[in-house]
Amino acid sequence: MNTRLQLLRSFLKTKRASGILITSPISVQFYTGFSGFSHEEREGFVLVTPDTISLLTSKLYEGAVRSLPGISTLIYSSEMPFHTLLRDTLHESNVTSLGVETNNLTLSEYAMVKKLAKIIPLQIRHLRMKKTPDEVKKIQRACDVADLALRKTKPRIKVGMTERDRRA
């Protein structure tokens, strides 16, 4: 199991939540690895339980998310509305206390979820701050690439130049 999910599930245990509905696009991306959702829209939600991680999204994204490793994809539609899909999934997973991101839940989402399970308000942003060794390596590689680009470009930059001047 990946370290991110282990940390999240341990955190959920300490808060006595039997699952969490992740609603913020940045957290959805963090836990699924899928970056195709808009950061301004509500296009995907993640439900994490002690045993599963599910991505709930519309048919529009079905093809793009079906192949995410270790993540089940649940599709909502006019035939299977989000509310019904979430209700059934919570029931099947025996989730009775559901963590929600307090800084990213709309009023209508809150009203819907509170009918389905006991709500446990949570902040999970701090969990993204802990980096795995693999993440540290990737960050270091990105820094190395940026440093190299700056070293190669800096000698050709003069005070008062615009980006357009530099390109010429």
Side-chain angles (χ1 to χ4, degrees), residues 34-148:
F34 182 69
S35 60
F37 294 130
S38 164
H39 283 247
E40 278 75 46
E41 301 293 330
R42 308 297 260 192
E43 299 170 326
F45 303 85
V46 175
L47 178 65
V48 177
T49 69
D51 302 315
T52 63
I53 177 169
S54 302
L55 178 60
L56 293 81
T57 190
S58 71
K59 287 184 177 186
L60 180 64
Y61 292 95
E62 186 173 13
V65 299
R66 279 275 181 219
S67 62
L68 294 173
I71 299 171
S72 65
T73 303
L74 305 174
I75 304 298
Y76 53 83
S77 64
S78 56
E79 298 83 34
M80 174 62 78
F82 178 74
H83 173 272
T84 305
L85 182 63
L86 182 60
R87 181 197 66 207
D88 294 351
T89 306
L90 292 175
H91 179 75
E92 290 168 12
S93 302
N94 295 315
V95 173
T96 55
S97 55
L98 184 64
V100 296
E101 293 179 278
T102 55
N103 63 330
N104 196 282
L105 193 67
T106 67
L107 186 57
S108 62
E109 289 166 348
Y110 173 83
M112 176 198 53
V113 171
K114 80 175 194 171
K115 294 176 185 175
L116 304 177
K118 175 186 172 192
I119 291 180
I120 299 178
L122 298 175
Q123 293 280 342
I124 62 169
R125 290 172 26 185
H126 69 281
L127 297 175
R128 294 196 314 260
M129 293 180 200
K130 297 179 181 180
K131 302 299 177 206
T132 65
D134 186 51
E135 288 172 314
V136 171
K137 284 180 188 174
K138 288 177 182 177
I139 291 168
Q140 183 60 58
R141 175 73 179 127
C143 291
D144 293 345
V145 168
D147 284 346
L148 177 62

Side-chain angles (χ1 to χ4, degrees), residues 18-41:
S18 50
I20 184 171
L21 181 65
I22 298 173
T23 54
S24 71
I26 194 73
S27 291
V28 168
Q29 180 178 341
F30 183 76
Y31 287 104
T32 66
F34 182 69
S35 60
F37 294 130
S38 164
H39 283 247
E40 278 75 46
E41 301 293 330

